[in-house]
């Protein structure tokens, strides 16, 4: 019996020892947050006022969870100590949601940014329009909201048959971010609607008729208006710009019919959109201006008064494609048509014409020997280019609108009483002090 007692005592000692060894030493344990629901996976969320951002499915260690102090903070202020949190903002703005899990003096952290688009906002007062017209590949990054009064985003591509390709407009909630940041800063955001564009310059693909054919057919036009109006309301946009750069066609009858169809399309959009929504039209300065019907229902007209077309093509003499006199002549075309200056927004390019090959006479070599270059890329290649309107250090030369020419144009716009200026494309512009939009804004204010 003695041996049995000693044996049982030894077994009890071993079991007790094992139990002590199995118990983890948490004295130096670093707390952890397990995001099984991937609620912190995206660095930011974009929601509309009235919606919520929900953070659930989280696990914490060490266990039990009571050992870990949990803290949820919104913009630095603690709002909850629960294991889950629902952020229900009462106003628009940008918010930081921080989750902290603390144990024994150490803290694990997860952070989420939430951008809330306000349900109501007041457009900031502005004496004149300064609009950044963004191409379909633009994002909200880099926009100086203090320098612009309006944003237009070329995010709706009309396809043959009247359907619309919105695929570029809201990738990764891009459009929603533009609207949210715009409204937080008092800047209306318009949806630019166009046919197929040829590239950097914003003109239509040669002989394209996607948009024109869609608005010329009454049934297709009605369907198109309904599609666009629904999209504008769903994304809380402030209106639409009809970017009619593909009206022309080799057949004059088709071109004329397309131009005439802009007026009923404009009228139908005004009726379908919410009261107060903006509808503008971007028009050309080429021969097609004779074909346009009455555009007086537009809130204003954007004049594509840049890129004269005489400095490209085989044998063309290199030079400024968007000179001052071309803009003023384009403006005069539309004032002569009876459009008052205070309804005209004149276009200024944020890109340059680059020559890659010249012929023996020093002229452009061929249709394939030139290309267009964003203004930001010009400054990257030639840091001193801001103070000039051309550069000879890039390829065979680049001609663009730098500070001297942009200042001259903006001063003319102000002195002649025009509504303002727009820049195509805003995402081609340089940043901060080198920004053409900043220069224009400073003069027009």
């Amino acid at each position: 019996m003695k041996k049995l007692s000693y044996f049982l005592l030894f077994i009890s000692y071993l079991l007790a020892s094992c139990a002590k060894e199995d118990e983890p030493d948490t004295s130096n344990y670093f707390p952890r947050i397990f995001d099984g629901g991937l609620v912190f996976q995206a660095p930011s969320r974009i929601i509309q006022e009235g919606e919520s951002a929900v953070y659930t499915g989280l696990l914490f260690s060490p266990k039990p969870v009571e050992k870990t102090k949990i803290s949820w903070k919104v913009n630095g202020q603690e709002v909850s100590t629960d294991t889950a949190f629902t952020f229900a903002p009462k106003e628009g703005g940008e918010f930081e949601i921080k989750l902290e899990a603390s144990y024994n003096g150490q803290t694990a952290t997860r952070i989420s940014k939430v951008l809330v688009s306000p349900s109501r906002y007041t457009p900031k007062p502005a004496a004149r329009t300064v609009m950044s017209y963004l191409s379909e590949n633009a994002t909200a990054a880099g926009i100086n909201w203090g320098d612009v009064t309006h944003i237009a985003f070329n995010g709706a591509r009309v396809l043959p048959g009247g359907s619309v390709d919105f695929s570029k407009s809201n990738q990764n909630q891009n459009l929603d971010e533009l609207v949210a940041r715009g409204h937080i800063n008092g800047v209306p955001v318009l949806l630019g609607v166009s046919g197929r564009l040829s590239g950097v310059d914003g003109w239509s693909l040669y002989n394209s008729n996607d948009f024109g054919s869609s608005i010329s057919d009454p049934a297709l036009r009605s369907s198109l208006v309904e599609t666009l109006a629904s999209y504008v309301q769903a994304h809380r946009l402030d209106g639409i710009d009809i970017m009619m750069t593909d009206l022309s066609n080799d057949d004059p009858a088709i071109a004329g019919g397309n131009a005439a169809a802009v007026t009923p399309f404009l009228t139908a959009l005004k009726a379908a959109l919410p009261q107060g929504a903006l509808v503008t039209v971007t028009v050309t300065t080429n021969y097609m201006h004779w074909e346009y019907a009455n555009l007086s229902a537009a809130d204003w007209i954007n004049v594509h008064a840049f890129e004269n077309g005489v400095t490209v093509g085989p044998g063309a003499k290199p030079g400024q494609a968007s000179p001052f006199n071309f803009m003023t002549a384009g403006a005069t075309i539309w004032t002569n048509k009876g459009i008052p200056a205070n309804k005209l927004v004149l276009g200024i390019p944020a890109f340059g014409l680059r020559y890659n090959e010249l012929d023996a006479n020093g002229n452009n070599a061929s249709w394939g020997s030139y290309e267009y270059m964003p203004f930001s890329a010009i400054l990257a290649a030639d840091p001193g280019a801001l103070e000039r309107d051309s550069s000879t250090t890039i390829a065979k030369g680049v001609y663009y609108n730098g500070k001297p020419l942009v200042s001259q144009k903006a001063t003319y716009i102000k002195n002649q009483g025009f509504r303002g200026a727009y820049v195509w494309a805003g995402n081609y512009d340089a940043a901060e002090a080198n920004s053409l939009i900043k220069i224009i804004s400073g003069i027009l204010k």
Side-chain angles (χ1 to χ4, degrees):
M1 289 295 294
K2 257 183 189 181
K3 288 182 178 179
L4 180 60
S5 296
Y6 284 131
F7 177 74
L8 292 174
L9 186 63
F10 178 69
I11 292 298
S12 298
Y13 172 77
L14 287 178
L15 290 173
S17 298
C18 287
K20 286 181 180 180
E21 289 176 1
D22 289 342
E23 184 177 327
D25 178 13
T26 59
S27 60
N28 291 311
Y29 194 94
F30 191 85
R32 299 179 67 186
I33 302 170
F34 299 95
D35 184 10
L38 302 179
V39 293
F40 283 97
Q41 183 180 41
S44 62
R45 295 190 189 189
I46 304 169
I47 62 175
Q48 296 182 351
E49 186 179 337
E51 297 177 339
S52 298
V54 181
Y55 299 85
T56 58
L58 300 160
L59 297 176
F60 304 84
S61 66
K63 294 181 179 180
V65 73
E66 287 76 14
K67 291 186 175 183
T68 305
K69 181 181 182 303
I70 296 171
S71 175
W72 292 90
K73 296 178 179 178
V74 176
N75 289 349
Q77 294 292 115
E78 185 173 81
V79 293
S80 175
T81 57
D82 202 348
T83 55
F85 176 61
T86 297
F87 176 55
K90 296 181 180 180
E91 60 183 0
E94 191 166 13
F95 302 86
E96 180 189 79
I97 312 299
K98 180 186 285 187
L99 169 61
E100 296 177 345
S102 302
Y103 176 78
N104 199 27
Q106 300 186 85
T107 301
T109 302
R110 294 291 182 99
I111 293 177
S112 173
K113 300 284 188 179
V114 180
L115 187 63
V116 182
S117 184
S119 57
R120 289 187 177 88
Y121 80 102
T122 301
K124 62 184 181 182
R128 287 179 173 81
T129 297
V130 179
M131 186 169 74
S132 176
Y133 210 131
L134 306 175
S135 77
E136 64 178 8
N137 297 314
T139 66
I143 296 175
N144 190 333
W145 296 99
D147 291 332
V148 297
T149 65
H150 296 78
I151 292 287
F153 177 63
N154 182 221
R157 184 62 45 83
V158 179
L159 303 175
S163 60
V164 184
D165 180 5
F166 294 110
S167 61
K168 288 291 188 76
S169 68
N170 209 27
Q171 289 180 345
N172 301 315
Q173 287 193 282
N174 179 36
L175 182 61
D176 291 339
E177 182 179 0
L178 280 169
V179 172
R181 294 194 184 279
H183 291 181
I184 290 169
N185 288 280
V187 175
V189 181
L190 307 181
L191 178 67
V193 182
S194 71
R196 288 177 291 171
L197 303 184
S198 61
V200 171
D201 60 347
W203 284 104
S204 64
L205 192 65
Y206 177 70
N207 217 26
S208 168
N209 194 34
D210 297 348
F211 199 174
S213 63
S214 296
I215 65 172
S216 298
D217 183 305
L220 295 181
R221 180 170 66 235
S222 176
S223 176
L224 177 59
V225 167
E226 183 179 349
T227 299
L228 293 172
S230 296
Y231 194 82
V232 164
Q233 293 182 66
H235 292 274
R236 297 187 179 181
L237 285 149
D238 298 284
I240 284 176
D241 176 64
I242 305 169
M243 191 177 178
M244 292 308 304
T245 59
D246 68 343
L247 290 177
S248 56
N249 190 279
D250 284 343
D251 186 332
I254 293 177
N258 290 347
V262 176
T263 297
F265 181 55
L266 168 63
T267 302
L269 278 174
K270 293 283 284 187
L273 292 174
Q275 185 176 7
L278 298 170
V279 181
T280 63
V281 181
T282 296
V283 298
T284 65
T285 58
N286 60 15
Y287 69 95
M288 284 303 299
H289 75 270
W290 296 110
E291 304 294 339
Y292 285 98
N294 185 1
L295 301 179
S296 60
D299 288 280
W300 72 75
I301 294 173
N302 303 306
V303 183
H304 190 141
F306 52 89
E307 219 188 350
N308 57 20
V310 302
T311 57
V312 297
K317 183 179 180 180
Q320 179 60 251
S322 301
F324 175 73
N325 61 2
F326 185 71
M327 185 194 77
T328 60
T332 301
I333 284 173
W334 288 94
T335 54
N336 285 344
K337 284 179 67 69
I339 306 297
N342 63 9
K343 285 195 70 171
L344 295 176
V345 175
L346 307 185
I348 297 175
F351 63 90
L353 179 60
R354 165 178 167 157
Y355 296 96
N356 294 319
E357 185 181 354
L358 302 179
D359 62 21
N361 297 316
N363 297 325
N364 181 52
S366 68
W367 285 112
S369 64
Y370 70 92
E371 61 184 329
Y372 297 102
M373 194 173 184
F375 185 65
S376 58
I378 293 171
L379 290 195
D382 181 357
L386 176 68
E387 302 297 333
R388 305 188 303 272
D389 299 312
S390 65
S391 173
T392 58
T393 64
I394 303 172
K396 301 297 183 180
V398 177
Y399 294 82
Y400 55 91
N401 282 201
K403 184 176 180 179
L405 190 47
V406 163
S407 298
Q408 183 185 18
K409 288 182 175 182
T411 301
Y412 170 82
I413 289 169
K414 181 177 182 178
N415 291 344
Q416 298 301 315
F418 288 95
R419 184 184 183 99
Y422 80 93
V423 170
W424 175 271
N427 47 301
Y428 303 159
D429 195 11
E432 304 300 333
N434 292 330
S435 165
L436 298 178
I437 293 174
K438 178 176 286 295
I439 294 168
I440 294 167
S441 177
I443 294 172
L444 294 187
K445 281 184 178 178

